[in-house]
Amino acid sequence: MSIDLLDKGYEPHDVEKRWYDFWEKERLFAAEERSDKRSYAIVIPPPNVTGVLHMGHALNNALQDILCRYRRLRGDNVLWMPGTDHAGIATQNVVERHLAAGGLDRHQLGREKFIERVWEWRKEYGGAIIRQLKRLGASCDWERERFTMDDGLSKAVRKVFVQLYDEGLIYQGNYIINWCPRCRTALADLEVEHEEVNAHLYYIRYPFPDGSGAVTVATTRPETMLGDTAVAVNPEDERYLNLPEEAVILPLLNRSIPIIRDSYVDTAFGTGALKVTPAHDPNDFEIGRRHNLPAVKVIGDDGRMTSDAGKYEGMDRFACRKAVIEDLRAQGLLEKITPLVHSVGHCYRCHTAIEPNLSKQWFVKAKPLADKAMAAVKTGKTRIIPDIWEKTYFEWLENIRDWCISRQIWWGHQIPAWTCEACGNLMVAMTAPSACTECGSADLVQETDVLDTWFSSALWPFSTMGWPEKTPLLETFYPTSVLITGFDILFFWVARMMMMGIHFMNDVPFRDVYVHALVRDENGQKMSKSKGNVIDPLNVVEKYGTDAFRFTLAAFAAQGRDVKMSEKRVEGYRNFINKLWNATRFSLMHLDKAYPDIPTDRISLADQWILSRLNRVIRTVEEALSGYHFNEAANTLYQFVWHEFCDWYLEAVKPALYGNMGDAARDAARSVLWRVLRETLILLHPFIPFVTEEIWNKLPGTKGSIMRAAFPLDNPDTAVIVSAPEAEIKMNTVMDIITGVRNIRGEMNIQPSAALEVIIHSPDDAVRTTIEAQSGIIKDLARLKSLMVSTPGERPKSAATAVLENAAVFVSLEGILDIDMETMRLEKEMAKIDKELTGISKKLNNEDFLAKAPEDVVEKVREKHRGLMEKRQKLEVNMEKIKALDLN
């Protein structure tokens, strides 16, 4: 037979490289631009060129690959569009660090030379994550790989910018934006990470001009007071209804500023009086607009104080804070300082504290676009799965602010706008104008800002397919079928793709959005370098193989539930891969060709049962994957392969395969075994592609790659796989009896080699008939000397009992069990456990241990205590059973 074709043990690394190279060489990932097949498309969430594969990438891309491989098996024309994102700020920071190591900065190089350096870096390092995705088995159409800065996508970006500008949806304006002094660029609200910090609330006296008193304000940022242009109070606040003055003197700068009334002021915070700094706080900016207050910018783009800050000019903003506090204290204007915990925004890239700053920026009017994006989900044109994320999606869009799209960096899509130096005319165009459209001057300067990275990635589903041209690819694959993404970019990216797709393509960019959860450590903690609990997916793949890692991710990818990852779990699924491998090695001992189907009335109960179970599994996997229940599909296959196919079916058909039951039985068993193994490999392929391809090509009767196989539901050759519920019921009875006998062996510590005598009582004629007909399997798998079946009668003496639904199993222990010896063994076991429990209980009752030991250590001790208690309870039950036996 074919046993020599499979190595004794499965070694994944050589297999993985060999088959991935083969798939690429044979272009098995390639989509057809035009096809009669049903179209299925996914666009990859483009990883940053700076990135390396982490657990989030691994889960996201494993799930995408499962769907793509599954849809290919269903006969679809599948496009999985790959690519990477230029990641403006992140990439520029990386390259700047490289330059700094050589004693250079980008300003010394100049913009053009710096951009050349970034392209060089991208060429050398930017493909690392793509190579890692291939290692994961990602079956992307790599011939169509795109980059958000390539020529085609750049054209799409310019087209979108120009059209939105012409439609009045892009504008320039002075506005409070989030500014990173380190990256020297504006940040969108969602690019700011808020952290709780220990800070202080400073109470500062603002004197009345006549010296008759003062208004005290409370602030967390005293350095910004230098830019105050008013003090605001709530018009309903009784404390400020009868003020003697309508102005105060701004401390340190001795400038008179008005007292204004505004309902925004929170009467419960601080003193109820608010310093208004329109250039350095978004809420103050709005108050300033309502009251026509001037905006004085006292903190520059470099985080240092400007000339408007008076004598503090040039100081770092935090150094200025200290100086301002000391000067206020010296002048008797610092009333008190109290501790405060509050949220401070930090740059999502470099973690510098951001500075709300008044700046001239480019914005997208988001509300008109957001309304359509909300309507698409409300009407069901796009589904968000699980639907718990719909609320988040709607909340973001309902409260949307105009989107600041300009960034003050060099790496990115330079804004296609030109200003005439002669007359100040602003021109927005697809290509650089040769002369001013107003005065004819050729002295034109292009806007130096670049676009927010998310602007170009918002076009990803259609720009990657050739838009603005009307390409066959767009016609075939847009809208795409599903987007798989993490909840953290639901607004960053998903909502913006919805807005842009609907606006420019008149259709949603995807029919479904599947939002996967986080991958956490085995204790449910978020992975972080500071905690030291980060698991590197590449290390896991190297140690256990890609298939085991992928199957682990899928098996725990339940909707709405975080994945708890540990190497132990991956090791467990590596055992599953080995189980499949060894089962195949056994099967190939008996298979040397493709076997014809045998009519179901000529095959054994075990054969009928496994075919019927396979039929159910096929439908369960189909329903689970169609509904994005990856864990249900994976766990169904695990249960079927390990427990039903390997543990039961292969054992049950061994007598037939070895010829002990005649040629007809052997031929029938071979036919069913070949069929079940073949279809099982196809079902498993989306999850564990490498090992299934390796086995497929060693299985007699298969042709070509398993990627070209047909899913069983779509294959007319699988007509023999039919539902046989009666066979399942009968086989379940057989398995319950065998399990009952095996449990008694374990409980009574009976040697596996001991042949037992068993009597079964059942009131059900059909059950008795089944047991008698299958007595050969029962005796063989339960290792019985004899088996008797009858209607219920007197309970046999000297017997241990297993009670089933429609039967009672009696195992004779006469001459098999020495009660005294077994009693002594159990007592010894219980004494040993009691000793361990005493020591553990002392630990758990020690408050010092509970208070000082790490939480995970305490939990492990508790877990050990629970395990020992369960073991002792089982021993007690077994002791009671032995005492109840009558062996006299």
Side-chain angles (χ1 to χ4, degrees):
M1 295 295 178
S2 307
I3 185 61
D4 293 337
L5 294 176
L6 275 188
D7 294 335
K8 189 173 183 180
Y10 177 60
E11 296 296 336
H13 301 112
D14 290 343
V15 170
E16 290 169 10
K17 184 178 188 316
R18 175 161 38 86
W19 283 118
Y20 201 91
D21 290 346
F22 172 82
W23 292 330
E24 281 203 284
K25 182 182 176 183
E26 296 298 315
R27 303 185 68 248
L28 295 179
F29 307 153
E32 300 171 45
E33 284 196 349
R34 298 190 186 279
S35 174
D36 294 332
K37 298 176 183 177
R38 181 175 48 196
S39 297
Y40 187 86
I42 294 179
V43 291
I44 198 170
N48 293 351
V49 286
T50 60
V52 292
L53 193 72
H54 57 62
M55 277 294 173
H57 287 132
L59 175 63
N60 185 289
N61 286 282
L63 299 183
Q64 290 178 82
D65 193 54
I66 287 167
L67 289 179
C68 289
R69 289 179 183 274
Y70 166 66
R71 296 311 314 188
R72 290 189 190 98
L73 295 173
R74 297 302 306 269
D76 292 358
N77 179 25
V78 174
L79 170 65
W80 185 8
M81 178 67 76
T84 50
D85 191 280
H86 66 278
I89 297 174
T91 305
Q92 178 156 317
N93 282 347
V94 168
V95 177
E96 283 193 83
R97 284 199 295 272
H98 275 258
L99 288 175
L104 286 173
D105 66 35
R106 62 184 168 106
H107 298 285
Q108 289 172 286
L109 283 179
R111 183 170 191 140
E112 190 175 328
K113 290 290 184 184
F114 177 75
I115 296 299
E116 287 177 10
R117 286 291 186 97
V118 181
W119 278 108
E120 287 171 9
W121 182 91
R122 190 253 170 179
K123 185 177 180 181
E124 187 172 353
Y125 299 105
I129 196 163
I130 296 298
R131 292 190 292 274
Q132 291 161 3
L133 288 173
K134 290 181 177 183
R135 183 78 190 273
L136 193 65
S139 58
C140 297
D141 190 346
W142 297 112
E143 295 173 15
R144 290 193 166 92
E145 183 184 342
R146 304 304 299 270
F147 177 52
T148 49
M149 287 279 286
D150 68 28
D151 289 342
L153 271 68
S154 295
K155 181 179 179 183
V157 167
R158 289 193 301 274
K159 167 74 174 172
V160 166
F161 187 95
V162 172
Q163 184 173 327
L164 290 177
Y165 181 81
D166 290 344
E167 292 170 351
L169 293 174
I170 282 183
Y171 66 94
Q172 259 189 314
N174 284 311
Y175 206 80
I176 280 284
I177 48 88
N178 304 301
W179 181 265
C180 175
R182 158 62 184 80
C183 297
R184 300 284 185 93
T185 185
L187 300 173
D189 290 345
L190 287 169
E191 292 172 321
V192 177
E193 295 178 345
H194 291 273
E195 299 174 16
E196 293 292 315
V197 299
N198 294 315
H200 296 91
L201 196 58
Y202 302 89
Y203 290 77
I204 303 169
R205 294 168 57 84
Y206 284 56
F208 292 128
D210 64 0
S212 62
V215 173
T216 301
V217 303
T219 180
T220 59
R221 305 178 68 219
E223 69 278 9
T224 63
M225 68 176 290
L226 303 170
D228 287 355
T229 54
V231 168
V233 295
N234 193 301
E236 305 296 323
D237 194 333
E238 294 182 0
R239 292 171 292 181
Y240 301 107
L241 292 180
N242 299 304
L243 289 171
E245 298 275 352
E246 289 301 311
V248 291
I249 298 299
L250 178 62
L252 305 182
L253 294 184
N254 297 317
R255 186 172 69 233
S256 177
I257 57 176
I259 298 172
I260 61 174
R261 272 77 179 171
D262 196 288
S263 58
Y264 168 79
V265 181
D266 182 0
T267 58
F269 180 78
T271 64
L274 176 75
K275 59 186 283 302
V276 182
T277 322
H280 294 288
D281 183 279
N283 298 311
D284 292 7
F285 177 77
E286 296 298 335
I287 294 173
R289 292 214 296 192
R290 287 195 292 273
H291 295 271
N292 296 313
L293 298 174
V296 180
K297 187 169 176 175
V298 293
I299 302 176
D301 293 347
D302 57 359
R304 294 186 175 277
M305 309 309 289
T306 68
S307 58
D308 284 320
K311 70 174 187 176
Y312 305 99
E313 180 182 359
M315 294 181 72
D316 173 79
R317 53 186 169 151
F318 296 118
C320 179
R321 177 180 298 180
K322 292 179 181 178
V324 164
I325 293 166
E326 290 306 314
D327 289 349
L328 288 170
R329 183 179 282 119
Q331 294 182 24
L333 297 176
L334 185 64
E335 197 167 285
K336 62 178 177 178
I337 303 174
T338 60
L340 176 74
V341 176
H342 73 135
S343 181
V344 174
H346 292 76
C347 174
Y348 78 120
R349 285 298 175 195
C350 69
H351 306 295
T352 300
I354 64 103
E355 191 65 48
N357 235 334
L358 187 64
S359 180
K360 190 174 186 179
Q361 301 286 341
W362 291 87
F363 294 88
V364 172
K365 287 183 182 176
K367 191 73 171 67
L369 302 172
D371 289 342
K372 292 179 182 178
M374 283 192 289
V377 173
K378 287 177 179 176
T379 59
K381 288 197 76 176
T382 292
R383 298 187 303 161
I384 297 178
I385 305 159
D387 60 9
I388 56 170
W389 291 109
E390 283 187 7
K391 182 181 178 184
T392 304
Y393 176 83
F394 290 136
E395 282 178 353
W396 278 334
L397 290 176
E398 284 164 359
N399 298 292
I400 199 168
R401 287 169 45 173
D402 285 357
W403 174 16
C404 177
I405 56 171
S406 45
R407 298 291 182 268
Q408 290 67 48
I409 56 175
W410 290 351
W411 173 243
H413 293 280
Q414 196 168 348
I415 291 175
W418 289 261
T419 301
C420 176
E421 291 286 272
C423 70
N425 179 39
L426 178 69
M427 292 157 282
V428 171
M430 285 289 291
T431 56
S434 57
C436 176
T437 53
E438 290 291 325
C439 70
S441 171
D443 191 6
L444 309 178
V445 177
Q446 185 174 358
E447 169 67 75
T448 57
D449 287 358
V450 301
L451 289 164
D452 175 13
T453 296
W454 297 103
F455 189 91
S456 51
S457 55
L459 320 180
W460 189 250
F462 55 94
S463 64
T464 52
M465 296 187 196
W467 187 90
E469 308 302 325
K470 292 182 178 179
T471 65
L473 209 60
L474 270 173
E475 187 180 336
T476 300
F477 291 108
Y478 190 93
T480 62
S481 307
V482 61
L483 176 78
I484 296 187
T485 185
F487 64 85
D488 52 334
I489 54 173
L490 196 55
F491 185 77
F492 263 131
W493 191 44
V494 178
R496 287 166 176 170
M497 283 191 288
M498 289 286 284
M499 291 190 283
M500 294 299 191
I502 294 168
H503 191 75
F504 289 95
M505 295 295 295
N506 297 312
D507 204 346
V508 295
F510 17 73
R511 298 302 183 199
D512 290 341
V513 176
Y514 177 74
V515 183
H516 63 73
L518 288 174
V519 183
R520 298 181 179 271
D521 71 10
E522 59 186 318
N523 298 312
Q525 298 292 312
K526 189 173 180 178
M527 292 187 191
S528 70
K529 290 180 180 178
S530 60
K531 291 179 182 176
N533 64 345
V534 174
I535 301 174
D536 185 336
L538 295 173
N539 290 343
V540 175
V541 165
E542 188 65 33
K543 190 171 181 180
Y544 299 104
T546 298
D547 287 332
F549 179 52
R550 286 170 56 115
F551 204 91
T552 308
L553 290 169
F556 290 96
Q559 286 188 11
R561 197 165 70 229
D562 289 341
V563 177
K564 291 183 181 179
M565 176 59 64
S566 71
E567 286 201 17
K568 279 187 179 178
R569 286 182 165 176
V570 183
E571 185 177 11
Y573 287 107
R574 182 184 63 180
N575 295 339
F576 172 71
I577 304 295
N578 291 336
K579 184 90 169 177
L580 173 67
W581 184 263
N582 292 331
T584 302
R585 276 178 55 82
F586 169 79
S587 300
L588 292 181
M589 290 172 62
H590 304 278
L591 304 173
D592 60 359
K593 63 179 181 179
Y595 291 84
D597 293 337
I598 304 292
T600 53
D601 60 353
R602 288 172 48 198
I603 61 177
S604 70
L605 174 65
D607 290 331
Q608 293 176 47
W609 166 75
I610 198 68
L611 288 174
S612 186
R613 286 295 306 130
L614 178 59
N615 177 67
R616 287 183 190 270
V617 168
I618 291 166
R619 297 183 185 283
T620 299
V621 169
E622 186 271 334
E623 289 171 8
L625 289 182
S626 296
Y628 307 107
H629 295 285
F630 298 94
N631 63 313
E632 289 182 19
N635 291 321
T636 295
L637 287 167
Y638 180 93
Q639 171 71 24
F640 176 73
V641 171
W642 190 297
H643 298 294
E644 294 177 315
F645 180 65
C646 295
D647 287 355
W648 284 107
Y649 178 70
L650 291 183
E651 294 301 316
V653 297
K654 277 181 179 178
L657 290 173
Y658 285 119
N660 299 342
M661 301 171 66
D663 291 344
R666 183 171 58 187
D667 290 344
R670 284 176 174 175
S671 171
V672 173
L673 176 58
W674 182 83
R675 175 72 62 191
V676 173
L677 182 56
R678 180 185 186 279
E679 306 308 329
T680 300
L681 290 173
I682 295 171
L683 293 174
L684 285 167
H685 175 71
F687 301 89
I688 48 175
F690 294 106
V691 70
T692 49
E693 183 74 273
E694 180 75 359
I695 294 173
W696 178 265
N697 278 269
K698 302 297 172 62
L699 184 66
T702 56
K703 295 179 181 178
S705 169
I706 194 171
M707 288 185 65
R708 291 286 187 247
F711 193 79
L713 280 180
D714 307 308
N715 189 349
D717 293 338
T718 59
V720 72
I721 303 176
V722 294
S723 177
E726 286 187 11
E728 291 187 47
I729 292 169
K730 290 178 181 179
M731 190 65 185
N732 284 338
T733 298
V734 170
M735 292 188 296
D736 286 347
I737 291 168
I738 295 166
T739 302
V741 175
R742 287 174 174 173
N743 288 343
I744 290 171
R745 277 187 189 273
E747 290 165 2
M748 301 299 175
N749 199 34
I750 299 170
Q751 292 295 321
S753 59
L756 304 175
E757 295 179 354
V758 169
I759 299 171
I760 300 175
H761 290 174
S762 176
D764 191 314
D765 292 343
V767 170
R768 292 197 306 275
T769 301
T770 296
I771 296 170
E772 288 168 351
Q774 303 303 318
S775 61
I777 293 178
I778 296 170
K779 290 171 71 174
D780 188 54
L781 296 187
R783 301 202 179 196
L784 306 184
K785 183 192 297 183
S786 66
L787 174 63
M788 293 179 59
V789 187
S790 68
T791 56
E794 186 178 346
R795 182 185 185 280
K797 289 185 177 181
S798 309
T801 310
V803 179
L804 311 181
E805 186 177 350
N806 286 311
V809 179
F810 301 98
V811 178
S812 175
L813 298 176
E814 191 170 358
I816 297 292
L817 184 69
D818 185 324
I819 287 184
D820 292 337
M821 289 290 290
E822 184 59 17
T823 302
M824 285 175 61
R825 186 187 71 82
L826 291 174
E827 287 174 345
K828 191 175 179 181
E829 281 279 322
M830 284 191 283
K832 183 181 175 184
I833 289 173
D834 287 341
K835 186 177 180 181
E836 281 192 76
L837 282 171
T838 301
I840 291 174
S841 296
K842 281 182 182 178
K843 260 191 177 180
L844 293 177
N845 291 327
N846 184 338
E847 293 198 6
D848 196 44
F849 168 74
L850 295 177
K852 293 181 179 178
E855 189 179 332
D856 60 327
V857 172
V858 175
E859 182 54 35
K860 282 178 182 176
V861 174
R862 286 188 177 131
E863 193 176 321
K864 188 173 182 182
H865 186 271
R866 287 192 293 268
L868 287 170
M869 287 296 294
E870 288 172 9
K871 189 175 180 182
R872 198 188 192 290
Q873 286 167 5
K874 286 180 182 178
L875 291 173
E876 286 176 356
V877 170
N878 291 347
M879 180 71 87
E880 291 301 317
K881 286 182 179 179
I882 285 175
K883 288 179 178 178
L885 289 174
D886 178 13
L887 297 184
N888 297 319

